[in-house]
Amino acid sequence: MTGLNFADVMQLAIIGLAQGSLYSLIAIGLVLIYKATEQINFAQSEFMMLGAFFGFQFIVLWGMPFWLGFLLAIAVLGGIGYTYDALVIRRMTGQPVFVVFILTLATGIVLRALAGMFWGFDSFSLPSMMPGTIDLTGVIIGWDHVIAILAAALLSLALFLFFRFSRVGIAMQALSLNQLAAFYMGMPVKRLTSSIWALAAMFGALAGLLLGPIALVSTQIGFIGFKAFAGAIVGGFGSIPGAVLGCLLIGFAEPFFDTAFPTLKGVGAYVIMFAVLLVRPQGLLSQMHQKKV
Amino acid sequence: MFNTPIWGPAMTDLLKLENVETFYGRVMAIRGVSLSVLEGKIVSIMGSNGAGKTTILKTISGALDPFKGSIKLDGNEISSQDPDVVARMGVAHVPEGREVFSLLSVRDNLMLGAYCRRDRGAVQQDFEKVLGWFPDLRSFIDKQAAYLSGGQQQMLALGRAFMQKPRLMLLDEPSLGLSPRLIGEIFDIIKHINREEGVTMLLVEQNAAVALETCDFGYVMETGRIVMEGDRDRLLASENIQEFYLGVKDEGVREERRWKGKKTWR
């Protein structure tokens, strides 16, 4: 990596961490659903895309105040996530997991097409929560990147506290550990499961809304979601701290990888995933040792 | 003991099954079972492996839907309801193999039993009661349930079910894999919960000696049917029961035929 001075390295590191933070928000959604139902939601990145598009609709097209549009977009995605589970996924209980894989994959494709129908296939930019840059002794960073990192950190902490201390959070852990026993306790398992889908979709929407100002939003934005998959797998699929760690690692390493191998731009995440899995096939924090949510 | 008359005025069926048939996959595991559980009693279902005992309990609690027949709790039809609905109606199912929430603490496990209750003060009292019955649980209170021994997990499962404040407990093989001393301890608590707390019990057991020692009334199941029923004294006196729980090993095809001759179901 010749030609990089300290400021460049710092710049890349922070951009990478911001990117990794956004991956981790998407990955948290994936892992939440996987732990609760052992299903994998391939439409998670489309939830993120929809979050960005709804934000665009509310804030830019309808001219709502920023925070109102921002929160409303997240709420709408929560509703979509809940309804999707309640109407579609819940019926698949008892069917092979494979069916849900394909179903969610197809849902993602349909959602992309629908988004294109409503909002077009062009790229656009979302307004920033806090425009401008911050100058850290020569290292110039956009506030958007800082906010992405802070938001992911705060939400991970909030999620941890929610699962550790709240009644509903503990019940969600219980149902992901033993669904039948949760039923026997009288817990409203179906509603709780749909709520987990809502939570996952909301995390995806937040990632989309935070990504909007950094990158351009288009129907193709969902491909970022695959990097979140890579991050979650690196961390040991099924562990939320692992997924966050894996995503941060991948996000952090990616800009350096791209600088070092410009011809291989964009595949860094997968190369890292391969490398980690060769050494630790179970991922960094595997479920065996740490199945804490 | 079963001293009060069965059909006395105060006696009501808390649970009543009529001609229940349940498929387990493609196999008809329950072939027309009728039984009733009187309020306040301990009723046991005995029988060997594969007789359909667990399937009966799962059908009652709603984990399996019956193909035919009716299941009434206190006169209300509960067949084909979701298990969480049945649980909220006052049925606590203690499943075979304990099924505790392994990575949650003992405290969380117990409090999850009371997830649907709103009477906080009473929940706290019940929590203390459970820890009083099972001092082992108190010393592991903030440890993950996975660290408990099999017997302690059975205590936790029983305590967790009691925290639901049920009217009826469905106990699936509480003696499974436990030492005789532990079995004694656990069944003492089961009897205590029945007598002192007024919880009706439907107990499924392979260990007929223990089941007969505990129950007021019993049923014997074979391949999905009830082949014998009676109060405790009658069952204890029965020659077939003597054989049944003394030597399950001798039970062959011939034996099974004789059982079928004895069946009292219609």
Short mmCIF file of all heavy atoms in Angstrom, two decimals, chain B residues 179-213:
data_model
loop_
_atom_site.label_atom_id
_atom_site.label_comp_id
_atom_site.label_asym_id
_atom_site.label_seq_id
_atom_site.Cartn_x
_atom_site.Cartn_y
_atom_site.Cartn_z
N SER B 179 -32.51 -40.64 39.36
CA SER B 179 -32.24 -41.66 40.38
C SER B 179 -33.49 -41.83 41.23
O SER B 179 -34.31 -40.92 41.34
CB SER B 179 -31.09 -41.19 41.26
OG SER B 179 -31.52 -40.10 42.04
N PRO B 180 -33.64 -43.02 41.85
CA PRO B 180 -34.82 -43.25 42.69
C PRO B 180 -35.01 -42.19 43.76
O PRO B 180 -36.13 -41.77 44.06
CB PRO B 180 -34.54 -44.61 43.32
CG PRO B 180 -33.61 -45.29 42.37
CD PRO B 180 -32.79 -44.20 41.73
N ARG B 181 -33.90 -41.71 44.34
CA ARG B 181 -34.03 -40.71 45.40
C ARG B 181 -34.62 -39.41 44.84
O ARG B 181 -35.53 -38.83 45.42
CB ARG B 181 -32.65 -40.43 46.01
CG ARG B 181 -32.70 -39.67 47.32
CD ARG B 181 -31.30 -39.46 47.88
NE ARG B 181 -30.48 -38.67 46.97
CZ ARG B 181 -30.53 -37.34 46.90
NH1 ARG B 181 -31.34 -36.67 47.69
NH2 ARG B 181 -29.77 -36.68 46.05
N LEU B 182 -34.10 -39.01 43.66
CA LEU B 182 -34.61 -37.79 43.03
C LEU B 182 -36.07 -37.96 42.62
O LEU B 182 -36.88 -37.04 42.77
CB LEU B 182 -33.78 -37.46 41.79
CG LEU B 182 -32.64 -36.48 42.00
CD1 LEU B 182 -31.86 -36.31 40.72
CD2 LEU B 182 -33.20 -35.14 42.47
N ILE B 183 -36.40 -39.15 42.11
CA ILE B 183 -37.78 -39.40 41.72
C ILE B 183 -38.69 -39.19 42.93
O ILE B 183 -39.72 -38.53 42.85
CB ILE B 183 -37.95 -40.84 41.15
CG1 ILE B 183 -37.20 -40.96 39.83
CG2 ILE B 183 -39.42 -41.18 40.97
CD1 ILE B 183 -37.23 -42.35 39.22
N GLY B 184 -38.24 -39.73 44.08
CA GLY B 184 -39.02 -39.57 45.31
C GLY B 184 -39.23 -38.10 45.64
O GLY B 184 -40.35 -37.66 45.91
N GLU B 185 -38.14 -37.33 45.57
CA GLU B 185 -38.22 -35.90 45.90
C GLU B 185 -39.20 -35.18 44.98
O GLU B 185 -40.04 -34.41 45.43
CB GLU B 185 -36.84 -35.25 45.72
CG GLU B 185 -36.01 -35.14 46.97
CD GLU B 185 -34.64 -34.55 46.66
OE1 GLU B 185 -34.59 -33.53 45.94
OE2 GLU B 185 -33.64 -35.13 47.13
N ILE B 186 -39.05 -35.45 43.69
CA ILE B 186 -39.87 -34.72 42.72
C ILE B 186 -41.34 -35.09 42.86
O ILE B 186 -42.22 -34.22 42.82
CB ILE B 186 -39.31 -34.95 41.30
CG1 ILE B 186 -38.05 -34.11 41.16
CG2 ILE B 186 -40.35 -34.61 40.24
CD1 ILE B 186 -37.45 -34.05 39.83
N PHE B 187 -41.60 -36.37 43.09
CA PHE B 187 -43.01 -36.74 43.22
C PHE B 187 -43.62 -36.25 44.53
O PHE B 187 -44.82 -35.99 44.60
CB PHE B 187 -43.20 -38.26 43.02
CG PHE B 187 -43.32 -38.61 41.57
CD1 PHE B 187 -42.19 -38.79 40.78
CD2 PHE B 187 -44.56 -38.70 40.96
CE1 PHE B 187 -42.30 -39.07 39.43
CE2 PHE B 187 -44.68 -38.98 39.62
CZ PHE B 187 -43.54 -39.17 38.84
N ASP B 188 -42.79 -36.10 45.55
CA ASP B 188 -43.31 -35.48 46.78
C ASP B 188 -43.80 -34.07 46.49
O ASP B 188 -44.87 -33.66 46.96
CB ASP B 188 -42.23 -35.44 47.86
CG ASP B 188 -42.04 -36.81 48.50
OD1 ASP B 188 -42.92 -37.68 48.27
OD2 ASP B 188 -41.04 -37.02 49.21
N ILE B 189 -43.01 -33.34 45.69
CA ILE B 189 -43.41 -31.96 45.36
C ILE B 189 -44.66 -31.98 44.47
O ILE B 189 -45.57 -31.15 44.63
CB ILE B 189 -42.26 -31.21 44.66
CG1 ILE B 189 -41.03 -31.16 45.56
CG2 ILE B 189 -42.70 -29.81 44.26
CD1 ILE B 189 -41.18 -30.32 46.81
N ILE B 190 -44.71 -32.93 43.54
CA ILE B 190 -45.89 -33.02 42.67
C ILE B 190 -47.15 -33.22 43.53
O ILE B 190 -48.16 -32.54 43.34
CB ILE B 190 -45.71 -34.17 41.65
CG1 ILE B 190 -44.65 -33.80 40.62
CG2 ILE B 190 -47.04 -34.50 40.97
CD1 ILE B 190 -44.31 -34.90 39.64
N LYS B 191 -47.03 -34.13 44.51
CA LYS B 191 -48.19 -34.37 45.39
C LYS B 191 -48.51 -33.12 46.20
O LYS B 191 -49.68 -32.79 46.41
CB LYS B 191 -47.90 -35.56 46.31
CG LYS B 191 -48.15 -36.90 45.61
CD LYS B 191 -47.96 -38.07 46.55
CE LYS B 191 -46.53 -38.56 46.48
NZ LYS B 191 -46.32 -39.84 47.21
N HIS B 192 -47.46 -32.45 46.63
CA HIS B 192 -47.66 -31.23 47.41
C HIS B 192 -48.39 -30.16 46.58
O HIS B 192 -49.33 -29.53 47.05
CB HIS B 192 -46.30 -30.70 47.88
CG HIS B 192 -46.37 -29.42 48.65
ND1 HIS B 192 -46.60 -29.40 50.00
CD2 HIS B 192 -46.29 -28.13 48.25
CE1 HIS B 192 -46.64 -28.14 50.41
NE2 HIS B 192 -46.46 -27.35 49.36
N ILE B 193 -47.94 -29.99 45.34
CA ILE B 193 -48.57 -28.97 44.48
C ILE B 193 -50.04 -29.33 44.26
O ILE B 193 -50.91 -28.48 44.24
CB ILE B 193 -47.83 -28.86 43.12
CG1 ILE B 193 -46.40 -28.33 43.34
CG2 ILE B 193 -48.58 -27.95 42.16
CD1 ILE B 193 -45.57 -28.27 42.08
N ASN B 194 -50.30 -30.63 44.15
CA ASN B 194 -51.68 -31.08 43.97
C ASN B 194 -52.52 -30.80 45.21
O ASN B 194 -53.59 -30.19 45.14
CB ASN B 194 -51.68 -32.57 43.62
CG ASN B 194 -53.08 -33.17 43.66
OD1 ASN B 194 -53.41 -33.93 44.55
ND2 ASN B 194 -53.89 -32.79 42.68
N ARG B 195 -52.02 -31.20 46.38
CA ARG B 195 -52.83 -31.11 47.60
C ARG B 195 -52.92 -29.69 48.13
O ARG B 195 -53.99 -29.21 48.46
CB ARG B 195 -52.24 -32.01 48.69
CG ARG B 195 -52.13 -33.44 48.20
CD ARG B 195 -52.63 -34.45 49.18
NE ARG B 195 -52.62 -35.75 48.51
CZ ARG B 195 -51.62 -36.63 48.63
NH1 ARG B 195 -50.60 -36.36 49.41
NH2 ARG B 195 -51.67 -37.78 47.98
N GLU B 196 -51.75 -29.04 48.21
CA GLU B 196 -51.71 -27.74 48.88
C GLU B 196 -52.08 -26.59 47.95
O GLU B 196 -52.60 -25.58 48.37
CB GLU B 196 -50.33 -27.48 49.49
CG GLU B 196 -49.83 -28.59 50.42
CD GLU B 196 -50.76 -28.85 51.59
OE1 GLU B 196 -51.31 -27.86 52.12
OE2 GLU B 196 -50.94 -30.03 51.96
N GLU B 197 -51.74 -26.75 46.68
CA GLU B 197 -51.98 -25.65 45.76
C GLU B 197 -53.20 -25.89 44.88
O GLU B 197 -53.58 -25.04 44.08
CB GLU B 197 -50.75 -25.41 44.86
CG GLU B 197 -49.45 -25.20 45.62
CD GLU B 197 -49.42 -23.89 46.40
OE1 GLU B 197 -50.18 -22.97 46.03
OE2 GLU B 197 -48.67 -23.79 47.40
N GLY B 198 -53.76 -27.10 45.01
CA GLY B 198 -55.00 -27.39 44.30
C GLY B 198 -54.87 -27.51 42.79
O GLY B 198 -55.82 -27.24 42.06
N VAL B 199 -53.68 -27.91 42.34
CA VAL B 199 -53.49 -28.06 40.90
C VAL B 199 -53.81 -29.50 40.50
O VAL B 199 -53.26 -30.45 41.06
CB VAL B 199 -52.05 -27.70 40.48
CG1 VAL B 199 -51.87 -27.87 38.99
CG2 VAL B 199 -51.71 -26.29 40.92
N THR B 200 -54.71 -29.65 39.55
CA THR B 200 -55.05 -30.97 39.03
C THR B 200 -53.91 -31.46 38.14
O THR B 200 -53.27 -30.66 37.47
CB THR B 200 -56.36 -30.87 38.23
OG1 THR B 200 -57.33 -30.20 39.02
CG2 THR B 200 -56.87 -32.24 37.85
N MET B 201 -53.66 -32.78 38.18
CA MET B 201 -52.52 -33.29 37.42
C MET B 201 -52.95 -34.41 36.49
O MET B 201 -53.70 -35.30 36.89
CB MET B 201 -51.47 -33.88 38.38
CG MET B 201 -51.04 -32.97 39.49
SD MET B 201 -49.53 -32.16 39.01
CE MET B 201 -49.27 -31.11 40.43
N LEU B 202 -52.43 -34.37 35.28
CA LEU B 202 -52.51 -35.53 34.39
C LEU B 202 -51.07 -35.96 34.14
O LEU B 202 -50.28 -35.22 33.55
CB LEU B 202 -53.21 -35.19 33.07
CG LEU B 202 -53.34 -36.34 32.07
CD1 LEU B 202 -54.06 -37.53 32.68
CD2 LEU B 202 -54.06 -35.90 30.81
N LEU B 203 -50.76 -37.15 34.64
CA LEU B 203 -49.37 -37.60 34.70
C LEU B 203 -49.19 -38.77 33.74
O LEU B 203 -49.94 -39.74 33.79
CB LEU B 203 -49.08 -38.04 36.14
CG LEU B 203 -47.87 -38.90 36.42
CD1 LEU B 203 -46.61 -38.08 36.27
CD2 LEU B 203 -47.96 -39.46 37.84
N VAL B 204 -48.20 -38.66 32.89
CA VAL B 204 -47.89 -39.76 31.97
C VAL B 204 -46.61 -40.41 32.45
O VAL B 204 -45.64 -39.74 32.74
CB VAL B 204 -47.74 -39.19 30.54
CG1 VAL B 204 -46.75 -40.00 29.75
CG2 VAL B 204 -49.08 -39.13 29.84
N GLU B 205 -46.61 -41.73 32.62
CA GLU B 205 -45.44 -42.40 33.16
C GLU B 205 -45.25 -43.78 32.56
O GLU B 205 -46.20 -44.53 32.35
CB GLU B 205 -45.57 -42.56 34.69
CG GLU B 205 -44.86 -41.50 35.49
CD GLU B 205 -43.36 -41.46 35.27
OE1 GLU B 205 -42.77 -42.45 34.81
OE2 GLU B 205 -42.76 -40.41 35.56
N GLN B 206 -43.97 -44.10 32.30
CA GLN B 206 -43.62 -45.48 31.99
C GLN B 206 -43.39 -46.24 33.27
O GLN B 206 -43.61 -47.44 33.35
CB GLN B 206 -42.31 -45.48 31.19
CG GLN B 206 -42.49 -45.89 29.76
CD GLN B 206 -41.15 -46.00 29.07
OE1 GLN B 206 -40.51 -47.04 29.13
NE2 GLN B 206 -40.72 -44.93 28.43
N ASN B 207 -42.92 -45.50 34.26
CA ASN B 207 -42.63 -46.07 35.56
C ASN B 207 -43.94 -46.24 36.34
O ASN B 207 -44.36 -45.38 37.10
CB ASN B 207 -41.67 -45.12 36.30
CG ASN B 207 -41.19 -45.70 37.60
OD1 ASN B 207 -41.83 -46.57 38.18
ND2 ASN B 207 -40.06 -45.21 38.06
N ALA B 208 -44.58 -47.40 36.13
CA ALA B 208 -45.92 -47.59 36.66
C ALA B 208 -45.93 -47.62 38.19
O ALA B 208 -46.90 -47.20 38.82
CB ALA B 208 -46.52 -48.89 36.11
N ALA B 209 -44.85 -48.11 38.79
CA ALA B 209 -44.79 -48.17 40.25
C ALA B 209 -44.94 -46.77 40.83
O ALA B 209 -45.74 -46.53 41.74
CB ALA B 209 -43.48 -48.81 40.69
N VAL B 210 -44.17 -45.84 40.27
CA VAL B 210 -44.22 -44.46 40.75
C VAL B 210 -45.58 -43.85 40.46
O VAL B 210 -46.18 -43.17 41.30
CB VAL B 210 -43.10 -43.63 40.09
CG1 VAL B 210 -43.26 -42.17 40.42
CG2 VAL B 210 -41.74 -44.13 40.53
N ALA B 211 -46.07 -44.08 39.25
CA ALA B 211 -47.34 -43.49 38.85
C ALA B 211 -48.46 -43.97 39.78
O ALA B 211 -49.27 -43.17 40.25
CB ALA B 211 -47.66 -43.85 37.41
N LEU B 212 -48.47 -45.28 40.08
CA LEU B 212 -49.55 -45.81 40.92
C LEU B 212 -49.42 -45.31 42.35
O LEU B 212 -50.42 -45.12 43.04
CB LEU B 212 -49.50 -47.34 40.90
CG LEU B 212 -50.14 -47.96 39.66
CD1 LEU B 212 -49.90 -49.46 39.65
CD2 LEU B 212 -51.63 -47.65 39.64
N GLU B 213 -48.20 -45.10 42.76
CA GLU B 213 -47.98 -44.60 44.11
C GLU B 213 -48.55 -43.18 44.26
O GLU B 213 -49.01 -42.80 45.33
CB GLU B 213 -46.47 -44.61 44.38
CG GLU B 213 -46.09 -44.89 45.80
CD GLU B 213 -45.62 -43.64 46.50
OE1 GLU B 213 -44.98 -42.78 45.85
OE2 GLU B 213 -45.91 -43.51 47.69
#
